[in-house]
């Protein structure tokens, strides 16, 4: 009998196939005591296992490339964290085996994250995955992971670590569903990059029996168990219609009546550029430069290394617009040389622009590198600061840009509600705004963007979030300046129409989403988008807002 479950759709498309479940998690190792004479040997075993796992993660990243590579290299850094290894050594010295020492050290670090207000809870899946890989290696058992299968299937898991998601084979894994996670988790972002239909935050998905036929709609978040032939036909027809629309869509982003909405790509470095160019991106709306800095958390990359990386991206978009976000460190992206290690709640502490203003030499080097990288190129370079709270922040950033001799537009990200509320004030110092909807939702609703239990409040359709977006867009229009969106909200084709109706002037997203957004925007006039935006803002919940906007655009 057909039943329907609802999670959070995070990657477009339809997948129909049999269920395969992720392998069982590594069991807790026994608490066996060792003698003092065995300690040195066990410490050596632990270090060898850690080094092997870190090397494997780096190798997986190199195979995957793009943003996945940055994520996996960050995981490798977790594995070799000096403080974690020192804790492992201490535990072995007082009688733990290598595997038990690793298990307990990671458990203590896990508790530390929870005690820090759970902002970093979204990295618990990454932490658990690293621990499991090390413990499995020490125990000599296979690492749980994506199941072996000769036939295509839909994967169901409690959560997916980036190391698993990055190397999924789209020819075999038709789509995936997780019980935990959120729309901005690493797995969701990587799923969009792979073009694999995916649903996250669907409690109870793990109870679906192995081999059950299911249909996954990554656009709506609906999962159909034992779908009827009629339902399968409907979904397949809808998927075919989407595919035809994508094939027919090309050129710059615009509504059906010609209102231009530039469609830009989010990139983490040169490796992400080919996909953006292939998707027809009109430029880059978010160049996440922190991935370059995460290669070594102990020191900033040299000016020469930065120039080389930046220039490769700038050269890919001659006559195009490239918006660079300066280093956004802190919270879930700590850097030893930059961010404090003892903050009670890193999400509300010294992160983003605050870190850079505390270390002006790091900011100056990055801005100088950007200025040199753009020399002689016809690209339209724009540089923006993360985590701008008020006009004082905006002025400090603009002054730093001018002092570095940067010939570019200076902008501010709107990720803190105060920036949306005082957008006109901020625009007295900078030339554009860019809405980071992921963090803006997190701070507006006090809802950690990585915790599946509060994913309802992370839904970008929340009317209160749409209000903050509208306030920012209205302020930019009043000042004759631009206001784009570079958060994951822009990757939802229907929401892209609503954002356009709210007055947003450009949309930036993962490259895989650009064709979907382009094709959907081209179906509606600006007036229809404005009416859909008004209907969404008048709703009382995210689901009501989505339904209301859809009703307007479908003419109901």
């Amino acid at each position: 009998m057909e039943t329907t479950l609802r999670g959070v759709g995070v990657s477009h498309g339809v997948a129909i196939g049999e269920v395969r479940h992720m392998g069982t998690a590594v069991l807790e190792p026994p608490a066996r005591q060792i003698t003092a004479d065995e300690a040195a040997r066990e410490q050596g075993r632990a270090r060898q296992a850690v080094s092997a796992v870190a090397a494997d993660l780096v190798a997986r990243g190199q195979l995957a490339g793009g943003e996945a590579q940055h994520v996996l290299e960050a995981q490798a850094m977790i594995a070799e964290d000096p403080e974690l290894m020192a804790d492992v050594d201490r535990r072995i010295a007082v009688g733990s085996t290598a595997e038990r020492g690793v298990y307990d050290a990671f458990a203590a670090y896990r508790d530390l994250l929870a005690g820090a207000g759970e902002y970093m809870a979204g990295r618990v899946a990454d932490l658990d995955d690293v621990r499991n890989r090390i413990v499995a290696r020490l125990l000599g058992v296979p690492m749980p992971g994506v199941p072996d299968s000769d036939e295509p299937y839909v994967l169901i898991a409690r959560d997916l670590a980036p190391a698993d998601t990055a190397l999924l084979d789209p020819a075999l894994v038709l789509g995936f569903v997780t019980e935990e996670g959120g729309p901005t988790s690493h797995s969701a972002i990587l799923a969009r990059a792979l073009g694999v239909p995916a649903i996250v935050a669907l409690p109870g998905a793990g109870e679906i029996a192995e081999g059950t036929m299911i249909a996954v709609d990554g656009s709506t978040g609906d999962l159909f168990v034992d779908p009827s032939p009629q339902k399968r036909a409907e979904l397949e027809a809808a998927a075919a219609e989407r595919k035809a629309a994508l094939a027919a869509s090309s050129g710059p982003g615009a509504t059906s009546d010609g209102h231009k909405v530039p469609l830009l790509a989010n990139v983490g470095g040169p490796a992400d550029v080919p996909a953006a160019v292939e998707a027809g991106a009109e430029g880059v709306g978010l160049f996440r430069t922190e991935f370059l800095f995460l290669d070594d958390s102990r020191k900033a990359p040299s000016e020469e290394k930065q120039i080389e990386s930046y220039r490769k991206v700038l050269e890919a978009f001659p006559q195009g617009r490239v918006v660079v976000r300066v280093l956004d460190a802190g919270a879930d992206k700590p850097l030893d040389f930059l961010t404090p290690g003892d903050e009670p709640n890193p999400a509300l502490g010294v992160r983003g622009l605050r870190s850079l203003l505390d270390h002006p030499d790091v900011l100056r080097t990055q801005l100088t590198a950007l200025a040199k990288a753009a020399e002689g190129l016809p690209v339209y370079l724009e540089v923006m600061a993360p985590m701008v709270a008020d006009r004082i922040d905006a002025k400090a950033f603009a002054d730093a840009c001018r002092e570095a001799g940067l010939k570019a537009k200076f902008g501010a990200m709107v990720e803190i509600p105060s920036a949306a509320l005082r957008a006109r004030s901020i625009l007295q110092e900078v030339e554009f705004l860019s809405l980071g909807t992921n963090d803006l939702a997190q701070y507006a609703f006090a809802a950690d963007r990585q915790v599946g239990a509060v994913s309802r409040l992370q839904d970008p359709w929340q009317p209160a979030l749409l209000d903050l977006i509208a306030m920012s867009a209205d302020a930019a229009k009043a000042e004759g300046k631009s206001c784009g969106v570079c958060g994951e909200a822009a990757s939802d084709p229907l929401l892209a129409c609503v954002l356009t109706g709210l007055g947003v002037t450009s949309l930036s997203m993962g490259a895989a989403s650009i064709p979907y957004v382009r094709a959907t925007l081209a179906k509606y006039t600006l007036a229809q988008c404005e009416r859909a935006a008004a209907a969404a803002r008048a709703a009382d919940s995210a689901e009501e807002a989505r339904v209301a906007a859809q009703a307007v655009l479908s003419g109901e």
Side-chain angles (χ1 to χ4, degrees), residues 66 192-193 265-267 269-281 317 510-515:
R192 286 188 283 270
N266 295 342
V267 304
D272 294 334
V273 167
V277 172
E278 185 179 352
F317 295 95
S513 297
I514 291 175

Side-chain angles (χ1 to χ4, degrees), residues 485-499:
V485 167
C486 65
E488 291 300 317
S491 64
D492 179 334
L494 181 61
L495 185 52
C497 295
V498 167
L499 294 173

Side-chain angles (χ1 to χ4, degrees), residues 267 269-270 273 284 287 308-317 322:
V267 304
V273 167
V284 172
F287 181 0
E308 179 185 5
S309 180
Y310 302 152
R311 194 168 180 89
K312 286 179 181 176
V313 176
L314 297 175
E315 286 175 335
F317 295 95
V322 175

Side-chain angles (χ1 to χ4, degrees), residues 412-454:
M413 291 200 70
V414 178
E415 300 165 286
I416 303 173
S418 63
L421 294 167
R422 301 289 294 171
R424 288 197 71 171
S425 173
I426 288 172
L427 284 166
Q428 304 311 304
E429 305 294 343
V430 296
E431 298 172 81
F432 69 93
L433 300 177
S434 183
L435 288 143
T437 52
N438 303 342
D439 268 324
L440 186 58
Q442 171 173 254
Y443 291 118
F445 294 100
D448 191 314
R449 57 187 281 187
Q450 299 290 346
V451 176
V454 293

Side-chain angles (χ1 to χ4, degrees), residues 7 48 107 171-172 274 284 401 406 431:
Q48 287 176 356
L172 282 176
V284 172
C401 290
L406 193 60
E431 298 172 81

Side-chain angles (χ1 to χ4, degrees), residues 332-351:
D332 61 338
K333 292 169 287 190
L335 293 171
D336 295 344
F337 67 89
L338 195 68
T339 50
D342 57 352
E343 290 184 301
N345 190 340
L348 303 179
V350 182
R351 63 167 295 198

Side-chain angles (χ1 to χ4, degrees), residues 77 289-307 309-310 326-329 334-339 355-356 359-367 369:
M77 287 170 59
T289 60
E290 60 268 21
F291 289 123
L292 181 62
F293 288 76
L294 289 171
D295 286 346
D296 186 345
S297 69
R298 295 165 296 180
K299 63 180 181 179
S302 67
E303 182 179 306
E304 291 71 24
K305 184 175 181 180
Q306 291 188 54
I307 291 171
S309 180
Y310 302 152
V326 294
L327 177 59
D328 184 16
L335 293 171
D336 295 344
F337 67 89
L338 195 68
T339 50
S355 294
L356 292 174
H359 297 80
D361 54 324
V362 176
L363 177 58
R364 188 182 309 111
T365 299
Q366 184 171 24
L367 294 175

Side-chain angles (χ1 to χ4, degrees), residues 547-556:
V547 170
Q550 181 67 69
V552 170
L553 293 177
S554 61
E556 296 177 8

